[in-house]
Amino acid sequence: MKHTLSPQRYLILLAVILSASFGDTLLSHGMKQVGPVSFHNLGLLLVALKNPWVIVGILLLIGFFASYLTALSWADLTFVLPSTSLSYVIVALLSKFWLHEDISIYRWLGILLIVGAVGFVANGPSLTEHPYPVGKTL
Amino acid sequence: MTTVGPVETWATILTVAATAIAGDVLTAGAMRRIGDLDEIRAHSGLLGAIKAVTGSRMFLCGVLSMALSFFALLFTLSNVDVSLAAPASASLTFIGNAAAARIFLRENVDRRRWIAAALVCAGVALLSR
């Protein structure tokens, strides 16, 4: 197993990371404007669909799913998941600098661990070679 | 805010993780069966790629599992503190995915990938504090 990724494929992984983190953050920002939704006023969810932040957030999350599936079509699940976990870090940074949430020392430590994990796995091969199609074992 | 006992708490968290793992592994298996999406898009265009993906029964089962996981998470969050439920289910999903990918997808989960999964798992737990 000695697969390495082309620059274009690294861009797809970057798209997974950025679309997931920005999508989640925009949804969070939009839903804070909409207000709390409970089982008694589920209709508020339809109102949320008119909020521009929510709309862009949903579009970004659709983009996330498309790029995530593309990445899974040429890389192992155990490569894609840790590589794209940088999105946790970006969400934390966006919530601190844009949404002005507090980030404790534990969170910074968590961010450090995730960055370490990404460095660990990104240096390795991206795909396991199989003599015959994987799907046949499932 | 946790309103249920430890057995129910961990049963619901395990359900969230198990359905998430099933979703991830089925989706990844389907994408491996379908083949390189970049090549499919080059040959049959974007619509051809969408058709190839949505026509896969394994992919649809994966999406169904992800939806089940989402509703299981909603159920869990209505009974268990988010500070326990979210990191516990995310961490279990990471470790479970490494094991399931090795067993079902026959991925070469070497020491490097196990360490990466464990680091992300610990990182997610710390992020939630």
Side-chain angles (χ1 to χ4, degrees):
Chain A
M1 95 170 186
K2 51 187 177 202
H3 278 266
T4 49
L5 297 181
S6 64
Q8 193 197 352
R9 291 187 167 178
Y10 275 113
L11 280 180
I12 297 277
L13 289 179
L14 188 68
V16 176
I17 294 166
L18 292 180
S19 53
S21 45
F22 276 87
D24 281 342
T25 312
L26 291 185
L27 273 190
S28 166
H29 186 65
M31 289 312 290
K32 274 178 188 153
Q33 288 181 349
V34 171
V37 179
S38 70
F39 279 110
H40 303 294
N41 61 347
L42 284 177
L44 205 53
L45 285 177
L46 293 176
V47 177
L49 289 178
K50 291 179 190 160
N51 182 293
W53 298 104
V54 172
I55 294 170
V56 180
I58 289 172
L59 289 177
L60 279 173
L61 289 180
I62 291 172
F64 153 74
F65 200 53
S67 46
Y68 175 66
L69 290 180
T70 306
L72 282 180
S73 75
W74 38 250
D76 285 343
L77 179 66
T78 45
F79 177 86
V80 174
L81 285 180
S83 304
T84 55
S85 60
L86 264 185
S87 59
Y88 288 109
V89 176
I90 295 184
V91 166
L93 293 176
L94 282 173
S95 48
K96 166 144 184 87
F97 295 108
W98 188 40
L99 303 181
H100 304 294
E101 292 177 4
D102 275 336
I103 298 199
S104 63
I105 183 76
Y106 294 110
R107 285 194 179 179
W108 285 118
L109 253 173
I111 288 172
L112 215 67
L113 284 181
I114 292 173
V115 172
V118 173
F120 231 87
V121 80
N123 273 326
S126 59
L127 183 67
T128 310
E129 286 288 1
H130 290 291
Y132 49 90
V134 168
K136 294 203 167 141
T137 61
L138 272 168
Chain B
M1 187 216 75
T2 301
T3 57
V4 291
V7 175
E8 290 93 333
T9 297
W10 285 102
T12 53
I13 288 172
L14 279 175
T15 306
V16 175
T19 45
I21 292 164
D24 281 336
V25 171
L26 284 167
T27 315
M31 297 317 295
R32 196 59 42 75
R33 263 189 184 181
I34 291 166
D36 191 331
L37 273 190
D38 292 333
E39 282 175 19
I40 296 174
R41 211 170 39 213
H43 284 116
S44 337
L46 184 61
L47 273 182
I50 292 173
K51 211 170 151 186
V53 172
T54 51
S56 160
R57 211 175 289 174
M58 193 188 279
F59 170 78
L60 295 177
C61 287
V63 171
L64 183 70
S65 297
M66 286 176 174
L68 281 177
S69 179
F70 176 72
F71 287 114
L73 181 66
L74 283 188
F75 178 78
T76 305
L77 289 176
S78 68
N79 294 299
V80 180
D81 285 339
V82 65
S83 56
L84 171 66
S89 56
S91 303
L92 283 174
T93 304
F94 254 101
I95 293 294
N97 266 331
R102 187 188 168 96
I103 296 166
F104 297 111
L105 303 174
R106 293 183 297 112
E107 288 185 7
N108 184 5
V109 186
D110 55 7
R111 201 165 46 176
R112 178 195 296 271
R113 290 186 179 183
W114 275 117
I115 292 174
L119 285 176
V120 172
C121 187
V124 169
L126 282 171
L127 276 187
S128 65
R129 294 189 60 152

